Amino acid sequence: MKSKIQFVTGNKHKIEEVQTIFEKECPEFQIMQADIPLLELQAATLEEVAVFKIQSVMENIVPPYFIEDAGFFVDDVCQGFPGVYSSYVMKTIGWDGILKIMAGKTNRNAHFESVIAYVDNHKAVHYFKGVNEGQVSTEARGSSGFGFDPIFISNETPNRTFAELELNEKNIISHRRRAVNKLIEFLKNNA
């Protein structure tokens, strides 16, 4: 019988990505979506946002469960912006706005970060972080993925944006995958 872990998210893309990883890498656990509204906090780091989100649902859900928060960071030119504000920036100016900010810039370094906060059966919280380094493309390309995927080119897939990758390709190298890998390693070592 599979152990169930709830992933607190309303984002169907995130749940599909994580379920696909678990089905292949850790089939003894079944990831279930818990679509509980999370309170959003704008903070300096994704870790602070994750702590706040976990605390906002603790009274409404039975462990084990986890939340994931991710951000797109344009490193030098924008000093990490949009970072923790990625969701808001996506809703307001979108990736097109980021491309306008980056117009004419030669330093296009960027990265994605993902932080998972996992609450175990004893209500202890564990954190796992994944990063993928790359560049902001000069134009949006591709129709796969979501968010800033059409303008991010990973250093591991030169000349292809995340949105040009098949889901299984992205799942091998994504920031979320790297955080999920750390969660899976933790679960296997603490089962």
Side-chain angles (χ1 to χ4, degrees):
M1 185 169 152
K2 291 185 176 192
S3 297
K4 294 181 179 176
I5 301 174
Q6 295 183 86
F7 181 8
V8 184
T9 183
N11 186 318
K12 68 176 183 146
H13 300 287
K14 287 183 179 185
I15 192 74
E16 289 170 6
E17 188 174 336
V18 171
Q19 284 174 330
T20 300
I21 295 166
F22 265 84
E23 286 167 6
K24 182 177 181 190
E25 303 295 330
C26 196
E28 58 271 28
F29 291 94
Q30 182 178 6
I31 303 302
M32 310 292 295
Q33 182 176 13
D35 193 357
I36 299 170
L38 292 163
L39 295 178
E40 291 287 335
L41 169 76
Q42 298 306 324
T45 68
L46 290 178
E47 290 83 356
E48 290 174 271
V49 174
V51 168
F52 184 80
K53 283 184 174 182
I54 279 291
Q55 292 172 344
S56 78
V57 297
M58 279 188 161
E59 301 301 319
N60 301 321
I61 190 167
V62 176
Y65 63 91
F66 66 95
I67 63 95
E68 185 265 355
D69 201 67
F72 177 63
F73 297 76
V74 180
D75 297 324
D76 302 320
V77 171
C78 294
Q79 301 174 344
F81 178 82
V84 296
Y85 306 105
S86 293
S87 179
Y88 175 74
V89 169
M90 191 65 207
K91 289 174 190 167
T92 56
I93 65 171
W95 44 257
D96 190 49
I98 297 297
L99 289 178
K100 287 177 183 170
I101 291 170
M102 296 298 291
K105 308 288 190 227
T106 55
N107 181 340
R108 303 182 76 81
N109 293 336
H111 70 279
F112 270 115
E113 286 183 21
S114 169
V115 172
I116 290 174
Y118 169 74
V119 178
D120 67 22
N121 287 323
H122 306 290
K123 296 190 177 181
V125 183
H126 309 271
Y127 299 95
F128 309 95
K129 184 175 185 176
V131 177
N132 190 293
E133 302 283 346
Q135 307 283 317
V136 177
S137 64
T138 56
E139 63 183 353
R141 298 191 319 258
S143 57
S144 181
F146 61 100
F148 292 100
D149 288 356
I151 64 166
F152 178 73
I153 300 171
S154 170
N155 290 341
E156 296 166 58
T157 57
N159 303 318
R160 293 171 65 203
T161 68
F162 264 12
E164 292 176 301
L165 302 176
E166 296 293 328
L167 181 60
N168 62 339
E169 289 179 284
K170 181 184 168 192
N171 271 350
I172 294 170
I173 63 166
S174 78
H175 50 297
R176 189 168 296 106
R177 171 59 181 260
R178 290 176 176 156
V180 169
N181 282 350
K182 292 174 183 176
L183 170 60
I184 288 172
E185 183 179 336
F186 173 82
L187 291 171
K188 287 182 175 182
N189 290 332
N190 293 282

